[in-house]
Amino acid sequence: MNELPEFLAEGEDGSLIVTLARGIDIDGSKRMSLILREPAVSDMLAADKAAKGQSAMSEVTLLANLAEVAPENIQSAKMRDYGRLQAALGFMNG
């Protein structure tokens, strides 16, 4: 298995804690980390369905679902932080 980058930490339940470089505003509060629960196939299918064939939006929806935040919160992320979230998702996808 690949070694985790410095900005990721694995929880006992398979979740990943993603330390953000810039942070994301959620409900008026700046969060410097997000916890992504381990995805199931059903999460991917639900995100694909909600995104109506738009692959980028499918990924945003999936990340939002795993982090238990609104898709708009993920959309507001700076690209550096979005890249970290993508890396976490890639790690969980094996």
Side-chain angles (χ1 to χ4, degrees), residues 1-59:
M1 184 172 265
N2 294 337
E3 188 174 318
L4 287 174
E6 63 187 35
F7 56 85
L8 295 178
E10 191 167 10
E12 291 181 19
D13 60 354
S15 63
L16 287 179
I17 302 161
V18 184
T19 300
L20 304 172
R22 298 282 191 219
I24 295 176
D25 183 55
I26 299 175
D27 298 327
S29 177
K30 189 172 214 170
R31 300 251 307 261
M32 294 305 294
S33 66
L34 289 176
I35 298 172
L36 302 181
R37 67 173 173 77
E38 189 170 10
V41 173
S42 60
D43 292 310
M44 180 195 64
L45 295 173
D48 284 347
K49 184 176 181 179
K52 299 178 183 165
Q54 297 178 358
S55 62
M57 192 60 198
S58 178
E59 184 177 75

Side-chain angles (χ1 to χ4, degrees), residues 40-93:
V41 173
S42 60
D43 292 310
M44 180 195 64
L45 295 173
D48 284 347
K49 184 176 181 179
K52 299 178 183 165
Q54 297 178 358
S55 62
M57 192 60 198
S58 178
E59 184 177 75
V60 167
T61 302
L62 178 59
L63 286 166
N65 186 28
L66 299 178
E68 298 181 352
V69 300
E72 294 78 19
N73 296 130
I74 302 297
Q75 289 174 340
S76 73
K78 301 297 184 199
M79 287 304 294
R80 186 182 326 184
D81 286 335
Y82 188 70
R84 289 180 178 200
L85 293 168
Q86 287 177 309
L89 188 56
F91 184 82
M92 288 191 286
N93 284 336

